[in-house]
Amino acid sequence: MSSVAVLTQETFNAHRSGLLPEQGGAAVAGPSAGEDEEALPTYKDAFPPLPEKASQPEGTQETSSAWASKIRPLKSSIITQVFHVPLEERKYKDINQFGEGDQAKVCVDIMHKTGAHLELSLAKDQGLSIMVSGKLDAVMKARKEIVSRLQTQASASVGIPKEHHRFVIGKNGEKLQELELKTATKIQIPRPDDPSNQIKISGTKEGLEKAKHEILLISAEQDKRAVERVNIEKVYHPFITGAYNKLVGEMMQETGARINVPPQSVNKTEIVITGEKEQVALAVTKIKKVYEDKKKNTTTIAVEVKKSQHKYVIGPKGNTLQEILDKTGVSVEIPPSDSSSETVILRGEPDRLGQALTEVYAKANSYTVSSVSAPSWLHRFIIGKKGQNLAKITQQMPKVHIEFTEGEDKITLEGPTKDVQMAQGQIEAMVTDLVSRMDYAEISVDPKFHRHLIGKGGVNINRIKEVHKVTVRIPPDNEKSNLIRIEGDPQGVQEAKKELLELASRMENERTKDLIIEQRFHRAIIGQKGEKIKEVRDKFPEVIINFPDPAQKSDIVQLRGPRTEVEKCSKFMSKIVAEMVENSYSVSVPIFKQFHRNIIGKGGSNIKKIREETNTKIDLPAENSNSEMIVITGKKANCEAARTRILAIQKDLANISEVDVSIPSKLHNSLIGSKGRLVRSIMEECGGVHIHFPTEGSGIDKVTIRGPAEEVAKAKQQLLALAEEKQTKSHTVELHAKPEYHKFLIGKGGGNIRKVRDSTGARIIFPTPEDKDQELITVVGTEEAVRDAQKELEELIKSLDNVVEDTMNVDPKHHRYFVARRGQVLRDLADEYGGVMVSFPRTGSQSDKVTLKGAKECVEAAKKRMQEIVEDLDAQVTMECVITQKFHRSIMGPKGSRIQQITRDHNVQIKPAVYFLLYQQKAIGHVHLFIFFQYSDILLAAPPAEAPVQENGEAEGEVKEPVDPNAPKKCDVIIISGRKERCEAAIEALKALVPVTIEVEVPFELHRYIIGQKGSGIRKMMEDFEVNIQVPAPEQQSDKIAITGLASLLDRAKEGLLERVKELQAEQEDRALRSFKLTITVDPKYHPKIIGRKGAIITTIRTEHDVNIHCLLSPRVHARIIGARGKGIRKIMEEFKVDLRFPQSGAADPNLVTVTGRPELVDEAIDHLLNLEEEYMADVVENEAKMAYMRPSGSSAAAADEQRGPSKGFVVREAPWATANEKAPDMSSSEDFPSFGAPVATKASPWGPKRF
């Protein structure tokens, strides 16, 4: 083991100061004292040299071994191989497609499949060189794939004997796989039932030759081996194998051949010998010799042995037969177990048969079978818990086998006669004892009461077992038996029997009641983790409450128990359900989608307030949902109150009116229409008004219409007209038209369909996206009106089916506008004009001919719209708006919402979505990406601020033209494209979004209160006023706070900030008035009296005199209270649910500990802290008294230093600087003694510096 000593300035000083006075004197004596000099260590002893590559002298061998260690070189697991495919064998020979096409795809696929890396190169002779890198198995797999997929394949066949095929395949096909991988070929071996001996090989020429060679080698090796089968009568097999297979083992060892003799249980006479031909021949000779000898010299005798004793003659795993064969040389033949014969045949030499017969009878009679009478119900008591009782007997007599038969009153023992007799005596004694002190009883109880007798979790039956010290067997449900068996002490059995019969009798008198409770309330009654139902069960412990399985969809809850208790429980649960029903009243309020955010309020403040004050549950639809319904759940009166408040918010925000229309309730369903289609069409046509019909079957005629006043009046007129139609004579017709025609039939803003409606008076309803049949158009009205509308619509649809083709001329410079963004403009045209197809000429053809194909009316309308777009494009201008780049993010708004809104409002033209300009700085080698962000129609150029070096994109070395200092920076320019008047309006809107900054004077000492804990205060103000507030850094000591935001929001934010300042100043004044401090010293033993029980007395004093009383703890116990890593203080805070703050080092009052929390908890925590202080202070005082005796005085330490005298330091002999006139190393020099790294800074504790 080697060690390394690091000599630093500190350790050097320690060495020097640690020398004894005598050693110091010897050092001063100098070289004259030879014996002291010899005692000094040499330089090589103190600092052993590192080992050198050259061979070391004998004397230094030991030293170098301390440093030396064998380092095993690491071998790379990545290998590289190069494969060459000649031109004539290449599968893909197209030279023009090198590096692309199918060949490249194949290489990529091989890399993915094998994990190897491939590199292709083309030689001068057009041969393909492939370099494969990776792990060995990956490279071999890749090689096989390359040969099979990139190289032309040849095929060949090789014939070897059929019996050699299995050696080519190998175990589990491993040999074949290895061969294919090694030769990069595909080898096909004929199936076992195929008579052919030809093995087919496919692959490259080189691979074919290798594979053929390997297969022929395997076959040649097998040719040297031989297999011989010898038929020997089964009865002579034991003589060939010998006892315990000794003889056959010796034969195999002598001959080297493998001899396979079938076991006695297999009725085969064939013995198989395998190995080299000479070895096999020798083994066959030996086997036949043994067979001939035994056949000639052996004879047989037959004896009768009881069938039950045969197993004792055989012995475990046939060991007894082997033992007899080994001792006597006689084979014992036992008839099969399924045979009724009791004749045992002994075969062997005549003079040995007598001895063998004696052995057979001895083995047969060495075991006996006996039985003990014992009632079957006692069997398990005899066995004992986990077989303990039986284990005692079997451990003493391991050869005895004890068998218990279920349902029989006896125990069977089998084993050596003496052991069986001993075991029988012990078991009989146990039976006698158990019969004398145990009894059993059986009672009949209806199976339906069994689970009630057992109780929940077996509570009832376990109690009876423990109290009466008995065992009770209740049959399982599948047995459907009435008998319950009780076993144990006679008195306990009778008492348990009596109690069980009483329970059963009581259950027969119990009542079962089914309570109908809607399944939707079940979960609420049960409560989370069954908490609520547990309360009910605890209140009615004798009543069993069973809820149905949720999958059954049943409303029946079953109560079972004593009649009176069941009735009480039923009334109690009915009351709970009634309250739930009352609280589950639900009402849906239609509120326009744009007002949902106002209903919710800032941070959910409005909705939260309504929920709390009305005690209701209010659910709003998801943001991406089309639903406008807000669902309110709770008590009816509360729901109505919440509904009124929500409607009031909507009414305040918009000119919303509500009108009630009286329409006979019998017409309501027909007015609503199938799946609400009819009433929905009225709501959509009238600007999205809400029409609310009363609940079906209520008999109420009042229908409520809510929305903007004008639209409500329009909807009321249409609803009344429709109701009148329905009352007189209503007729309905259904038409079918392709969904792409619907928009064209409706027309822009519903113009086309309105004409049809006005001219005929019929109502036309188109399908919604949710409808299954998207082609269905419904016409509703009087018979005449419907007929006229049907005729007009059918003519329109027929004309749309008449497809025509037309052309128009569009300047090529405008083509890009139509096809940009994957043809978005063309898709919009197709949606709006009945699926018309517009085809532009190929890019670069310079043709201005555009083809339109579709229905005649659609083509004409689309053509007209495209001409309007072209006119707009011709009139388009591009204008620049200069806004400092730092404001761009603010102008864009969240996810570009503000920019998008300006684009929509001012209808500026659409430019390409995103431009990328790649700019390279050659000198530095960096690539900058200039990205132009564009939201719809407004293009924002936003190059990165980090790359201002080449602002105008000129390359290094180019002559830079003089730049106008007044010209705006490119990064500040926002480009707007569109019609001139629209662009100007957009510029004004953009400039209005530029944030403005104002400064508000706020005293510096109030800044931290404005920021709040973890910035919560300032963050709330920024969210409330939608501005950015910047507080100067503490080191600036500035009174100015900057507010940045839109000009319209700044005044409100400033007022809010100044109001907050006033509040803080008022709080400061109040604190100043309360800052008077009076310190009273009270003996700690009186503290609990002053605090009172749970802080009652101290709380009263605080309340009456409006003062705060702090907890003062001696700083000497602070560290003990805090504990290791704050463990102690955390425990206190968790236990009392308070916050503790200890004073920092150097605080004005080191005794002051602040406790924050609920008053009663604070008082309890203070009481606990004072108790701890009293306990810890006793320890501190005791420790200080001890340390006074242990700590050495300062004068004695100084005297010891003086006695030592000046020290020469750590001295070594034969140092390099002493022999070679070199300069001694300077301990303070960082070059002679370089640092091993920067010192690790001590981790600051959250509780301040440690106190000792």
Side-chain angles (χ1 to χ4, degrees):
M1 183 176 178
S2 60
S3 62
V4 179
V6 180
L7 187 63
T8 63
Q9 186 67 47
E10 291 78 6
T11 55
F12 185 81
N13 292 336
H15 272 297
R16 186 173 57 192
S17 61
L19 290 173
L20 295 172
E22 295 82 13
Q23 292 172 326
V28 172
S32 60
E35 62 278 2
D36 291 338
E37 188 176 343
E38 289 297 327
L40 293 173
T42 64
Y43 181 81
K44 285 187 178 179
D45 290 338
F47 305 103
L50 293 171
E52 296 179 7
K53 287 184 181 178
S55 60
Q56 297 287 337
E58 267 186 41
T60 59
Q61 188 64 35
E62 190 178 343
T63 308
S64 64
S65 65
W67 298 94
S69 63
K70 281 190 177 180
I71 300 173
R72 293 178 61 188
L74 293 173
K75 291 185 179 178
S76 172
S77 61
I78 306 297
I79 66 163
T80 302
Q81 290 190 10
V82 178
F83 307 112
H84 186 72
V85 182
L87 176 63
E88 61 273 11
E89 292 183 15
R90 279 180 58 188
K91 189 176 281 188
Y92 305 100
K93 295 183 182 178
D94 190 351
I95 299 167
N96 296 327
Q97 285 195 351
F98 181 73
E100 59 184 51
D102 294 336
Q103 186 170 266
K105 288 177 185 174
V106 167
C107 289
V108 171
D109 187 43
I110 292 170
M111 285 195 285
H112 284 311
K113 194 181 287 185
T114 63
H117 179 69
L118 272 63
E119 289 186 18
L120 276 69
S121 60
L122 208 60
K124 288 183 180 179
D125 60 355
Q126 300 304 318
L128 192 64
S129 292
I130 304 158
M131 186 169 73
V132 186
S133 303
K135 294 190 175 178
L136 180 61
D137 58 341
V139 170
M140 297 310 290
K141 286 177 185 174
R143 178 192 174 196
K144 185 180 174 185
E145 290 285 331
I146 289 165
V147 167
S148 62
R149 298 175 67 178
L150 294 180
Q151 202 165 352
T152 54
Q153 303 291 297
S155 61
S157 61
V158 59
I160 61 171
K162 188 79 175 175
E163 58 268 21
H164 294 175
H165 286 192
R166 64 192 182 93
F167 298 105
V168 176
I169 296 168
K171 189 178 181 181
N172 297 327
E174 290 174 0
K175 183 70 178 174
L176 183 63
Q177 288 175 10
E178 184 189 341
L179 201 57
E180 286 184 332
L181 209 59
K182 189 177 176 182
T183 61
T185 57
K186 178 71 178 171
I187 302 171
Q188 292 179 327
I189 296 174
R191 296 177 64 83
D193 53 359
D194 188 345
S196 172
N197 64 352
Q198 295 292 319
I199 296 175
K200 294 179 181 176
I201 311 164
S202 57
T204 62
K205 290 178 183 177
E206 183 186 356
L208 290 177
E209 293 302 323
K210 282 185 184 177
K212 281 171 74 175
H213 176 69
E214 291 289 338
I215 291 168
L216 290 171
L217 273 179
I218 292 168
S219 179
E221 190 180 334
Q222 295 307 317
D223 277 335
K224 294 177 186 177
R225 300 180 66 80
V227 179
E228 190 74 36
R229 290 176 172 80
V230 182
N231 281 309
I232 304 291
E233 291 177 58
K234 187 75 178 176
V235 293
Y236 293 106
H237 283 194
F239 299 110
I240 292 166
T241 58
Y244 306 109
N245 291 322
K246 286 180 185 175
L247 188 57
V248 77
E250 288 171 4
M251 284 186 194
M252 287 195 286
Q253 198 168 357
E254 287 175 17
T255 62
R258 182 179 176 81
I259 303 169
N260 185 11
V261 180
Q264 288 296 318
S265 57
V266 178
N267 192 20
K268 280 187 179 180
T269 60
E270 188 179 71
I271 297 173
V272 181
I273 306 104
T274 56
E276 301 290 339
K277 289 181 180 178
E278 296 80 4
Q279 296 171 345
V280 169
L282 182 59
V284 169
T285 305
K286 283 183 174 289
I287 290 167
K288 286 184 177 178
K289 185 181 177 184
V290 172
Y291 168 60
E292 294 296 337
D293 180 53
K294 292 297 177 185
K295 191 173 182 181
K296 183 179 178 183
N297 297 326
T298 58
T299 183
T300 61
I301 59 167
V303 293
E304 296 295 318
V305 178
K306 287 181 183 178
K307 191 75 178 176
S308 60
Q309 293 178 323
H310 285 190
K311 59 183 176 181
Y312 307 131
V313 178
I314 296 168
K317 297 181 181 178
N319 281 343
T320 306
L321 292 178
Q322 295 294 327
E323 186 185 330
I324 295 169
L325 180 61
D326 189 30
K327 281 184 182 179
T328 64
V330 175
S331 168
V332 181
E333 298 166 18
I334 306 290
S337 57
D338 54 355
S339 169
S340 59
S341 172
E342 294 186 341
T343 304
V344 175
I345 298 170
L346 284 73
R347 188 183 303 273
E349 294 176 8
D351 57 337
R352 296 288 188 93
L353 287 174
Q355 185 187 350
L357 185 59
T358 306
E359 289 284 338
V360 168
Y361 277 121
K363 296 293 182 186
N365 296 318
S366 63
Y367 281 74
T368 185
V369 177
S370 179
S371 63
V372 177
S373 294
S376 59
W377 65 274
L378 284 178
H379 286 186
R380 59 196 187 86
F381 297 105
I382 294 166
I383 294 166
K385 193 175 182 182
K386 295 183 180 178
Q388 286 176 353
N389 297 343
L390 209 59
K392 292 175 185 176
I393 299 170
T394 53
Q395 282 171 7
Q396 293 172 7
M397 290 152 281
K399 293 185 178 179
V400 176
H401 174 68
I402 304 170
E403 186 177 340
F404 294 83
T405 309
E406 192 175 351
E408 291 187 14
D409 293 339
K410 69 172 184 176
I411 302 168
T412 307
L413 291 85
E414 185 180 334
T417 307
K418 192 182 286 185
D419 289 354
V420 165
Q421 288 171 356
M422 286 177 66
Q424 185 175 351
Q426 289 184 25
I427 291 172
E428 284 174 349
M430 288 171 68
V431 171
T432 306
D433 176 57
L434 288 169
V435 168
S436 66
R437 63 184 179 81
M438 295 195 74
D439 194 7
Y440 77 94
E442 290 182 344
I443 58 173
S444 180
V445 177
D446 194 323
K448 68 182 179 182
F449 299 131
H450 286 185
R451 63 193 183 96
H452 303 296
L453 289 176
I454 294 167
K456 190 174 181 183
V459 64
N460 294 344
I461 204 71
N462 287 338
R463 182 185 56 78
I464 292 169
K465 285 178 182 178
E466 287 173 14
V467 171
H468 303 296
K469 308 296 181 194
V470 294
T471 58
V472 183
R473 186 188 179 278
I474 297 176
D477 293 341
N478 57 1
E479 284 188 17
K480 305 213 172 160
S481 170
N482 292 348
L483 286 179
I484 295 175
R485 189 181 181 91
I486 310 161
E487 299 167 354
D489 178 70
Q491 187 180 348
V493 167
Q494 293 306 316
E495 289 175 355
K497 178 182 177 182
K498 183 182 176 183
E499 187 171 346
L500 283 169
L501 287 172
E502 284 177 2
L503 277 171
S505 173
R506 200 185 310 157
M507 284 171 194
E508 286 173 357
N509 296 326
E510 283 181 347
R511 184 188 171 193
T512 300
K513 184 174 183 179
D514 290 341
L515 209 58
I516 307 298
I517 299 173
E518 287 182 60
Q519 196 182 32
R520 64 191 175 108
F521 296 126
H522 289 188
R523 285 184 66 183
I525 294 169
I526 293 167
Q528 193 174 11
K529 296 182 180 178
E531 289 173 359
K532 291 188 178 177
I533 198 65
K534 187 177 181 296
E535 292 175 10
V536 179
R537 285 177 173 144
D538 290 344
K539 191 166 185 175
F540 304 99
E542 295 181 43
V543 180
I544 298 167
I545 306 169
N546 289 323
F547 284 86
D549 192 302
Q552 293 178 0
K553 305 287 183 187
S554 171
D555 293 338
I556 297 171
V557 177
Q558 193 180 71
L559 308 179
R560 182 179 181 80
R563 188 181 298 274
T564 53
E565 290 297 309
V566 166
E567 288 300 327
K568 287 179 184 176
C569 184
S570 173
K571 286 178 183 177
F572 183 77
M573 290 189 71
S574 298
K575 187 179 176 183
I576 292 172
V577 172
E579 288 177 3
M580 286 183 175
V581 170
E582 188 183 0
N583 289 327
S584 65
Y585 177 79
S586 181
V587 63
S588 297
V589 187
I591 298 293
F592 292 102
K593 194 80 176 179
Q594 62 265 33
F595 299 134
H596 282 199
R597 58 183 296 183
N598 304 97
I599 302 291
I600 295 167
K602 193 81 174 177
S605 57
N606 290 355
I607 199 77
K608 188 178 178 183
K609 189 177 179 183
I610 296 169
R611 282 172 179 156
E612 288 173 355
E613 292 180 2
T614 60
N615 194 23
T616 54
K617 181 186 175 187
I618 304 173
D619 295 317
L620 285 92
E623 195 175 344
N624 54 359
S625 166
N626 293 326
S627 172
E628 295 184 336
M629 288 294 179
I630 295 176
V631 181
I632 308 168
T633 309
K635 290 185 179 179
K636 187 174 180 180
N638 295 344
C639 289
E640 291 299 332
R643 179 175 177 272
T644 306
R645 289 182 64 167
I646 289 171
L647 289 172
I649 292 172
Q650 180 180 247
K651 196 169 184 180
D652 291 343
L653 293 167
N655 180 24
I656 302 295
S657 66
E658 188 176 304
V659 173
D660 293 334
V661 183
S662 181
I663 296 173
S665 58
K666 63 183 180 180
L667 297 176
H668 288 185
N669 282 344
S670 59
L671 290 175
I672 293 168
S674 175
K675 296 181 181 178
R677 292 178 67 198
L678 197 56
V679 75
R680 192 163 57 242
S681 70
I682 295 173
M683 289 194 288
E684 287 172 0
E685 189 179 337
C686 299
V689 295
H690 291 136
I691 301 175
H692 178 67
F693 285 85
T695 309
E696 190 177 357
S698 63
I700 300 170
D701 294 342
K702 187 175 75 172
V703 178
T704 305
I705 308 170
R706 188 184 300 107
E710 294 177 6
E711 301 298 339
V712 166
K714 189 176 173 184
K716 178 182 177 182
Q717 184 183 350
Q718 288 195 22
L719 200 62
L720 289 171
L722 192 61
E724 191 178 341
E725 281 179 19
K726 291 284 181 186
Q727 277 183 315
T728 53
K729 191 176 182 183
S730 179
H731 192 64
T732 304
V733 167
E734 292 180 348
L735 301 172
H736 286 81
K738 293 178 182 178
E740 54 264 31
Y741 293 165
H742 290 188
K743 277 194 176 181
F744 184 76
L745 290 172
I746 294 167
K748 194 169 185 179
N752 295 349
I753 208 69
R754 198 179 294 113
K755 286 178 187 176
V756 176
R757 188 179 294 156
D758 292 344
S759 63
T760 62
R763 175 167 296 281
I764 300 157
I765 303 164
F766 286 85
T768 62
E770 289 81 23
D771 291 336
K772 287 184 180 179
D773 191 350
Q774 289 294 306
E775 294 188 355
L776 183 67
I777 301 171
T778 308
V779 186
V780 181
T782 61
E783 189 175 355
E784 186 182 352
V786 166
R787 191 169 52 249
D788 293 344
Q790 182 184 5
K791 187 178 178 182
E792 283 193 38
L793 285 171
E794 283 175 344
E795 286 176 1
L796 273 171
I797 293 166
K798 190 176 179 182
S799 66
L800 290 173
D801 286 333
N802 180 23
V803 177
V804 298
E805 190 173 309
D806 198 0
T807 58
M808 65 179 292
N809 295 325
V810 177
D811 195 316
K813 68 181 180 181
H814 298 315
H815 289 189
R816 183 176 176 78
Y817 171 83
F818 288 96
V819 299
R821 289 181 295 154
R822 298 182 182 177
Q824 182 62 47
V825 176
L826 297 181
R827 284 202 299 275
D828 293 343
L829 285 170
D831 288 344
E832 192 172 346
Y833 299 105
V836 66
M837 292 173 62
V838 183
S839 301
F840 278 81
R842 281 179 171 275
T843 307
S845 64
Q846 296 302 316
S847 171
D848 62 351
K849 188 177 179 183
V850 178
T851 306
L852 294 88
K853 190 175 181 181
K856 188 175 180 182
E857 287 81 1
C858 295
V859 167
E860 289 299 325
K863 189 174 177 181
K864 186 179 177 183
R865 174 62 186 141
M866 286 179 70
Q867 285 169 346
E868 289 173 4
I869 291 170
V870 170
E871 286 175 11
D872 279 351
L873 290 170
D874 287 333
Q876 182 172 314
V877 297
T878 300
M879 300 181 74
E880 291 184 352
C881 175
V882 179
I883 295 174
T884 308
Q885 188 189 15
K886 67 180 180 181
F887 298 129
H888 287 189
R889 183 185 293 273
S890 175
I891 290 168
M892 288 179 194
K895 297 181 182 178
S897 56
R898 291 176 179 171
I899 291 293
Q900 292 171 19
Q901 187 62 43
I902 293 172
T903 301
R904 285 193 295 270
D905 292 348
H906 301 287
N907 193 23
V908 284
Q909 289 183 1
I910 297 171
K911 292 282 185 182
V914 181
Y915 286 105
F916 293 95
L917 173 62
L918 191 65
Y919 170 69
Q920 186 174 8
Q921 280 184 300
K922 294 178 185 175
I924 305 174
H926 293 294
V927 175
H928 294 289
L929 196 61
F930 288 76
I931 304 175
F932 293 83
F933 295 90
Q934 184 203 353
Y935 294 90
S936 296
D937 310 317
I938 298 183
L939 203 62
L940 297 185
E946 298 92 327
V949 180
Q950 295 174 348
E951 209 168 70
N952 300 314
E954 64 274 2
E956 190 176 331
E958 290 181 8
V959 179
K960 192 172 179 180
E961 294 180 9
V963 179
D964 182 3
N966 297 322
K969 292 182 181 178
K970 287 190 176 181
C971 61
D972 295 339
V973 175
I974 296 175
I975 301 168
I976 307 170
S977 300
R979 284 184 176 268
K980 186 179 179 182
E981 62 276 9
R982 293 173 187 167
C983 289
E984 288 171 351
I987 288 171
E988 292 301 319
L990 278 172
K991 287 183 177 177
L993 290 176
V994 175
V996 181
T997 301
I998 61 170
E999 288 185 345
V1000 181
E1001 195 163 332
V1002 176
F1004 173 73
E1005 61 270 14
L1006 297 180
H1007 287 190
R1008 63 194 184 98
Y1009 301 109
I1010 287 169
I1011 294 169
Q1013 191 174 13
K1014 294 182 180 178
S1016 58
I1018 199 164
R1019 197 159 49 243
K1020 186 176 184 302
M1021 290 179 73
M1022 287 195 288
E1023 287 173 0
D1024 290 347
F1025 301 119
E1026 297 180 17
V1027 294
N1028 183 32
I1029 302 173
Q1030 290 179 328
V1031 179
E1035 55 268 16
Q1036 292 180 9
Q1037 299 281 318
S1038 172
D1039 291 342
K1040 303 288 184 183
I1041 290 181
I1043 306 176
T1044 305
L1046 300 181
S1048 57
L1049 302 172
L1050 289 178
D1051 291 338
R1052 183 163 156 263
K1054 182 179 178 181
E1055 287 174 12
L1057 182 59
L1058 291 174
E1059 282 177 17
R1060 178 64 180 147
V1061 169
K1062 286 178 185 176
E1063 288 174 12
L1064 292 171
Q1065 285 173 339
E1067 287 175 12
Q1068 248 184 350
E1069 289 172 8
D1070 186 53
R1071 275 199 302 274
L1073 292 172
R1074 292 172 179 270
S1075 63
F1076 176 74
K1077 186 190 292 183
L1078 178 64
T1079 305
I1080 305 169
T1081 304
V1082 180
D1083 193 321
K1085 67 182 180 182
Y1086 297 118
H1087 287 185
K1089 300 280 187 185
I1090 294 169
I1091 293 169
R1093 183 174 175 78
K1094 294 188 177 180
I1097 296 171
I1098 200 84
T1099 304
T1100 306
I1101 295 169
R1102 283 176 181 152
T1103 310
E1104 285 181 3
H1105 301 286
D1106 193 18
V1107 294
N1108 191 14
I1109 302 171
H1110 289 289
C1111 171
L1112 299 177
L1113 295 178
S1114 174
R1116 292 189 287 177
V1117 299
H1118 288 188
R1120 296 268 315 257
I1121 292 171
I1122 292 168
R1125 297 182 181 177
K1127 189 177 179 182
I1129 197 171
R1130 274 199 302 275
K1131 187 179 177 184
I1132 295 169
M1133 288 195 290
E1134 287 170 8
E1135 185 179 348
F1136 295 97
K1137 304 290 186 293
V1138 294
D1139 184 47
L1140 293 178
R1141 288 286 177 269
F1142 282 79
Q1144 292 186 353
S1145 180
D1149 189 353
N1151 297 318
L1152 183 65
V1153 177
T1154 306
V1155 188
T1156 311
R1158 286 169 51 195
E1160 63 275 12
L1161 297 175
V1162 167
D1163 294 331
E1164 286 181 24
I1166 291 173
D1167 192 15
H1168 180 70
L1169 287 170
L1170 292 172
N1171 288 336
L1172 287 177
E1173 181 195 28
E1174 187 177 348
E1175 179 186 336
Y1176 293 157
M1177 276 302 291
D1179 293 342
V1180 170
V1181 171
E1182 186 179 343
N1183 288 339
E1184 285 176 353
K1186 285 180 184 177
M1187 292 302 289
Y1189 295 101
M1190 294 171 68
R1191 190 181 299 118
S1193 63
S1195 60
S1196 62
D1201 287 343
E1202 285 175 12
Q1203 284 176 8
R1204 285 195 192 103
S1207 172
K1208 197 172 180 180
F1210 182 63
V1211 181
V1212 293
R1213 292 183 292 112
E1214 301 175 10
W1217 54 84
T1219 56
N1221 295 324
E1222 291 183 15
K1223 187 183 175 185
D1226 182 6
M1227 294 294 294
S1228 60
S1229 168
S1230 60
E1231 290 183 9
D1232 292 347
F1233 292 92
S1235 171
F1236 281 96
V1240 180
T1242 306
K1243 191 175 178 182
S1245 168
W1247 305 103
K1250 289 186 178 179
R1251 298 177 180 85
F1252 300 99

